[in-house]
């Protein structure tokens, strides 16, 4: 009986990397959302509520897909600067939380109070958008925790003091 050879690194997929790749699906979803958002502007506002519902749905899915990205990496210099500063990061977290909460609450209220199917559908689109924002908020919290300079300095100081003890 022969021993099984270890799996080669070339054929081994890191789950974090797979999710990072999947996060790129946010871009087509957001492009579709933009297309639906612009559609009524070029068609004399015909089907506006349906188009905006679809825009909100696709934007929610796209934003939700962005939450699959690796929170240990930043996308650009502005993002890095935001998450490194504890005050800026906290402000962004509050803004994301407020946007998610308002979208979900207004969507649920709209669904309950809507007089027409189109308004009810638009409200459900708002809920989907808000849920996507909740996913983004979760990733933003992780990014802030990972990139904060004030926490990294404290960690380094603790490691140095423990090593010298």
């Amino acid at each position: 009986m022969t021993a099984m050879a270890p799996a080669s690194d070339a054929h081994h997929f890191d789950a974090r990397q797979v999710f990072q790749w999947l996060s790129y699906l946010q871009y087509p979803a957001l492009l579709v959302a933009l297309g639906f958002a612009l559609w009524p502007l070029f068609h004399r506002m015909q089907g506006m509520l349906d188009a905006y519902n679809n825009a909100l749905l696709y934007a929610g899915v796209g934003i939700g897909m962005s939450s699959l990205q690796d929170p240990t990496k930043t996308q650009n210099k502005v993002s890095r600067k935001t998450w490194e500063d504890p005050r800026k990061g906290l402000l962004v977290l509050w803004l994301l939380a407020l946007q998610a909460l308002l979208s979900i609450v207004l969507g649920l209220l709209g669904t309950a109070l809507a007089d027409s199917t189109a308004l009810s559908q638009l409200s459900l689109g708002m809920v989907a958008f808000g849920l996507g924002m909740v996913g983004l908020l979760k990733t933003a919290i992780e990014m802030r925790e990972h990139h904060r300079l004030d926490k990294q300095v404290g960690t380094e100081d603790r490691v140095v003091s423990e090593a010298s003890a």
Side-chain angles (χ1 to χ4, degrees), residues 69-97 133 135-152:
Q69 71 188 18
D70 184 357
T72 64
K73 299 176 183 173
T74 55
Q75 303 243 333
N76 53 51
K77 186 177 180 179
V78 173
S79 177
R80 184 178 52 80
K81 292 279 187 193
T82 299
W83 298 123
E84 286 178 349
D85 185 329
R87 291 175 300 182
K88 288 179 188 175
L90 186 61
L91 176 64
V92 169
L93 290 180
W94 276 108
L95 290 173
L96 289 172
M133 292 300 298
L136 179 62
L137 176 61
K138 180 218 171 269
T139 300
I141 290 169
E142 290 176 0
M143 290 182 81
R144 179 174 183 256
E145 288 173 357
H146 186 271
H147 294 286
R148 282 178 62 172
L149 290 179
D150 62 331
K151 293 292 184 180
Q152 291 175 0

Side-chain angles (χ1 to χ4, degrees), residues 11-67:
H11 300 298
H12 176 69
F13 285 107
D14 180 27
R16 188 177 295 261
Q17 186 63 40
V18 171
F19 284 117
Q20 179 69 27
W21 292 333
L22 287 173
S23 77
Y24 291 114
L25 293 174
Q26 69 182 295
Y27 299 112
L30 292 172
L31 281 173
V32 171
L34 179 63
F36 276 117
L38 294 175
W39 179 266
L41 300 176
F42 297 105
H43 293 90
R44 299 180 187 188
M45 304 308 276
Q46 294 292 323
M48 178 181 71
L49 293 178
D50 286 335
Y52 288 162
N53 173 52
N54 287 330
L56 286 167
L57 285 171
Y58 279 94
V61 168
I63 292 169
M65 294 301 274
S66 74
S67 70

